[in-house]
Amino acid sequence: MHHQIDALAHTNQLRSLPPEHKLGFAAALFVLGYLAPAFVQLLIVLWLFIWVVRYAQIPAKIYLELLLLPTSFLLLSLPTLLVGISTVATFKNIEPDVVWGMAVKPLYLYLSRQGIEQATAVFTRSIALTSCLYFILLTIPTFELIRILQRLGCPPLITELMGLMYRFIFILTGTVGELLTAQQSRMGYGTWRIGMRSLSLLIGQLLQRTLNTYHQLSLGLAARGYNGDLRVWHSRRYKPDWRYATEAIAGYLCLLLLTGWHYWRT
Amino acid sequence: MLISFEQINYTYPCNPKPTLRELSLEITAGKRYAVIGQNGCGKTTLFRLANGLYQPSGGTVRWNNQPLSYRRPALYQLRQQVGLVFQNPEEQLVAATVEEDLSYGLCNLGLPDSEIEQRVQQTLKAFELTDLADFPVNYLSLGQKKRLAIADIMILRPRLLLLDEPTAYLDPGQVRNLRQMLTTIQAEGTTLVMATHDLNFVQDWADWVIVMNQGQIVMEDTPTAVFSRQHFLKTMGLS
């Protein structure tokens, strides 16, 4: 999944837009999504869906699958908010909060009005904020995010480590893929028992090979004059698009006004 | 004399047997050298000694007739002039995009941005990588990675280029392109030393062939002379 997201971040149709503009847009929506009422949060989800699927040309199926991932975790946690437990004897105290309930003596299980409100707030907020994060992940390649962090004054040690980790993820998954294929070609996962043995071999080999790759990469760095600093140069190939900028600013102001109107009314 | 090895011994810490034994070799400027030998004969170790990555356990490596200094500033200078392309390009590509990777060595030299930009653009063009400038290194094909690894070193304008198995993993078309690329590089005044198992390539390309066996140089001569001794090559497992 990581490689797929990374590949989409490199090939999406919003790639040519300045990454700081996209990050700024998503960050502003993130803040608004946190503070706004539920209906505005849902509007954010819908709007970002249009940005990701229509403008960035990310396949809707992939985007929905990605959204489903955190949503399933969220749905699992919702029953604890929705369902209240009391005793039949104290039913009178909770009666105003009960939407629907049933007695399982001596307990009383009920759907809580307050719980529904909380669950709605948690659900819409989470999905809105997740959409913002996915917008960043799917339209801005990792190394561009690292560059932005560098420009924002993040310590070089952290950004260099992030860059190396990003590179290592690919080397590591490549090694896992090779080992797995080699094992499968020799019936390494025929039965559960053999599979477990192959898996332990794979993990052991992976550690060994990772250490070896690390050593070779260190030599590679040294051969290219590494002096303790992983500094690189890059040209700027981005083109701001006024059409997108206008939509982003106008849309954001509308959402902001809707939020203001909501809080003014209540 | 560009670089010379005098009575070099080298033993890896985990291996009791020496990888290089009393090895002596002289490389003169402007020629195309090919180093051939079975796996484990010490070709890669020799290249890493030339680049200052390894320090010999005995003997002296001389660059421009001066013994190598293993102090950091001296090594930076050496590595600018002695470029080493690894067998596996994955081990040499460190940045996220092609353009960034090309600029890495130049940034280490502390060159101004304007010069870095100029050299990067020139190298992208020379190695036909312009379309891939902003392309992530992770998604390049092996042939493209190899081309980038050579470009990464050539951008530093080395006087000596060491290529460790450059034809490994390449298809015949890519080998042809590599050959053209090397001809251009040599025409610009770079001395080339290549370790390879591709004897056909060596026969057509090299000016001088060095045959290694068990950490020693057992023969060096012109390709015609070396390949005329088929019986000897057979005993070395190279025929």
Side-chain angles (χ1 to χ4, degrees):
Chain A
M1 187 57 97
H2 165 266
H3 287 10
Q4 196 176 21
I5 292 174
D6 195 67
L8 288 169
H10 283 106
T11 52
N12 76 85
Q13 294 298 306
L14 297 179
R15 175 81 163 84
S16 60
L17 296 183
E20 53 272 35
H21 290 192
K22 288 181 277 186
L23 186 66
F25 173 57
L29 274 179
F30 192 91
V31 174
L32 185 66
Y34 186 79
L35 302 169
F39 77 96
V40 175
Q41 288 166 341
L42 287 176
L43 283 176
I44 290 174
V45 175
L46 278 176
W47 195 31
L48 283 177
F49 182 85
I50 294 168
W51 274 89
V52 171
V53 175
R54 177 99 191 273
Y55 303 156
Q57 299 276 304
I58 305 286
K61 189 172 173 277
I62 293 176
Y63 185 55
L64 289 173
E65 272 174 13
L66 283 171
L67 275 178
L68 205 67
L69 211 73
T71 310
S72 51
F73 281 108
L74 191 63
L75 288 175
L76 280 175
S77 64
L78 286 186
T80 53
L81 288 172
L82 291 171
V83 180
I85 303 174
S86 181
T87 54
V88 178
T90 56
F91 175 73
K92 277 238 152 76
N93 298 338
I94 52 142
E95 199 179 359
D97 192 36
V98 174
V99 176
W100 177 85
M102 59 189 273
V104 186
K105 280 180 182 173
L107 297 174
Y108 186 77
L109 300 178
Y110 66 99
L111 201 59
S112 155
R113 184 164 285 121
Q114 206 186 343
I116 292 173
E117 281 166 17
Q118 270 183 348
T120 311
V122 168
F123 183 80
T124 53
R125 182 176 291 165
S126 311
I127 210 82
L129 302 190
T130 309
S131 299
C132 296
L133 291 178
Y134 275 147
F135 177 79
I136 295 172
L137 278 178
L138 291 165
T139 62
I140 312 175
T142 312
F143 62 85
E144 285 182 350
L145 284 172
I146 296 172
R147 279 181 204 159
I148 295 173
L149 287 176
Q150 276 168 341
R151 277 207 297 278
L152 289 174
C154 189
L157 181 71
I158 294 173
T159 52
E160 283 172 11
L161 268 176
M162 285 169 76
L164 279 178
M165 276 164 69
Y166 170 68
R167 179 94 185 86
F168 251 91
I169 289 171
F170 284 87
I171 294 175
L172 204 70
T173 49
T175 312
V176 172
E178 281 166 16
L179 285 170
L180 209 60
T181 310
Q183 287 181 328
Q184 280 167 342
S185 71
R186 285 184 283 158
M187 291 76 70
Y189 292 89
T191 64
W192 190 82
R193 186 191 278 263
I194 295 171
M196 282 297 108
R197 208 173 54 203
S198 296
L199 189 66
S200 68
L201 260 175
L202 186 141
I203 293 166
Q205 277 297 308
L206 191 62
L207 179 71
Q208 210 172 324
R209 288 197 191 192
T210 307
L211 288 173
N212 186 40
T213 307
Y214 161 75
H215 177 64
Q216 294 302 330
L217 201 62
S218 311
L219 287 177
L221 278 168
R224 293 181 63 190
Y226 179 64
N227 56 12
D229 213 3
L230 261 174
R231 208 165 66 83
V232 288
W233 170 89
H234 65 92
S235 59
R236 280 188 67 82
R237 297 166 193 278
Y238 311 113
K239 277 179 276 171
D241 188 311
W242 294 111
R243 185 233 160 285
Y244 287 128
T246 313
E247 182 181 329
I249 294 167
Y252 190 80
L253 286 175
C254 285
L255 291 172
L256 203 63
L257 284 173
L258 279 173
T259 308
W261 173 74
H262 171 81
Y263 285 119
W264 176 75
R265 245 189 54 194
T266 54
Chain B
M1 201 65 54
L2 202 57
I3 193 165
S4 64
F5 301 85
E6 293 165 11
Q7 306 285 308
I8 295 293
N9 286 300
Y10 187 81
T11 308
Y12 281 97
C14 52
N15 190 353
K17 211 177 137 194
T19 306
L20 295 182
R21 293 181 294 138
E22 302 292 317
L23 181 143
S24 293
L25 174 68
E26 289 180 347
I27 302 285
T28 49
K31 276 189 178 176
R32 290 179 292 205
Y33 291 85
V35 183
I36 57 173
Q38 283 186 315
N39 281 336
C41 70
K43 300 187 291 285
T44 300
T45 311
L46 180 70
F47 281 10
R48 290 183 177 189
L49 283 161
N51 190 258
L53 288 172
Y54 295 165
Q55 203 170 341
S57 25
T60 314
V61 182
R62 289 181 191 274
W63 171 251
N64 275 335
N65 296 318
Q66 296 295 316
L68 285 196
S69 162
Y70 292 90
R71 295 167 72 91
R72 271 197 176 183
L75 282 176
Y76 292 153
Q77 280 192 343
L78 175 79
R79 285 168 188 161
Q80 193 191 342
Q81 297 183 73
V82 181
L84 169 60
V85 179
F86 286 24
Q87 180 177 355
N88 181 0
E90 288 282 8
E91 291 161 1
Q92 212 158 5
L93 309 179
V94 290
T97 65
V98 169
E99 184 181 71
E100 285 187 354
D101 209 68
L102 281 172
S103 73
Y104 172 71
L106 301 175
C107 288
N108 287 337
L109 292 176
L111 297 180
D113 279 3
S114 56
E115 192 175 344
I116 294 176
E117 181 174 4
Q118 192 198 352
R119 281 215 216 174
V120 167
Q121 298 305 340
Q122 274 176 1
T123 312
L124 284 170
K125 210 170 162 190
F127 286 82
E128 294 172 12
L129 290 165
T130 309
D131 293 343
L132 298 170
D134 205 26
F135 200 75
V137 165
N138 300 316
Y139 297 112
L140 294 176
S141 70
L142 201 56
Q144 288 169 330
K145 280 181 182 168
K146 202 98 186 182
R147 197 147 34 112
L148 175 60
I150 298 174
D152 278 337
I153 301 302
M154 283 314 297
I155 201 170
L156 301 171
R157 296 176 183 162
R159 290 176 62 198
L160 172 65
L161 178 62
L162 307 162
L163 299 133
D164 196 356
E165 303 274 5
T167 56
Y169 316 120
L170 297 186
D171 63 38
Q174 289 170 328
V175 172
R176 265 196 304 277
N177 290 343
L178 174 78
R179 198 188 162 117
Q180 277 176 356
M181 206 191 301
L182 295 180
T183 307
T184 315
I185 290 169
Q186 200 214 0
E188 286 165 2
T190 307
T191 305
L192 300 169
V193 185
M194 175 196 295
T196 183
H197 289 295
D198 189 343
L199 299 185
N200 289 328
F201 190 95
V202 171
Q203 203 159 9
D204 295 340
W205 176 82
D207 295 325
W208 197 254
V209 181
I210 298 154
V211 185
M212 285 184 72
N213 187 40
Q214 295 184 355
Q216 288 180 313
I217 291 171
V218 287
M219 183 184 186
E220 53 175 317
D221 214 323
T222 59
T224 320
V226 169
F227 289 105
S228 66
R229 297 183 63 185
Q230 283 298 316
H231 179 70
F232 174 75
L233 291 177
K234 212 168 187 174
T235 56
M236 297 287 120
L238 293 169
S239 182

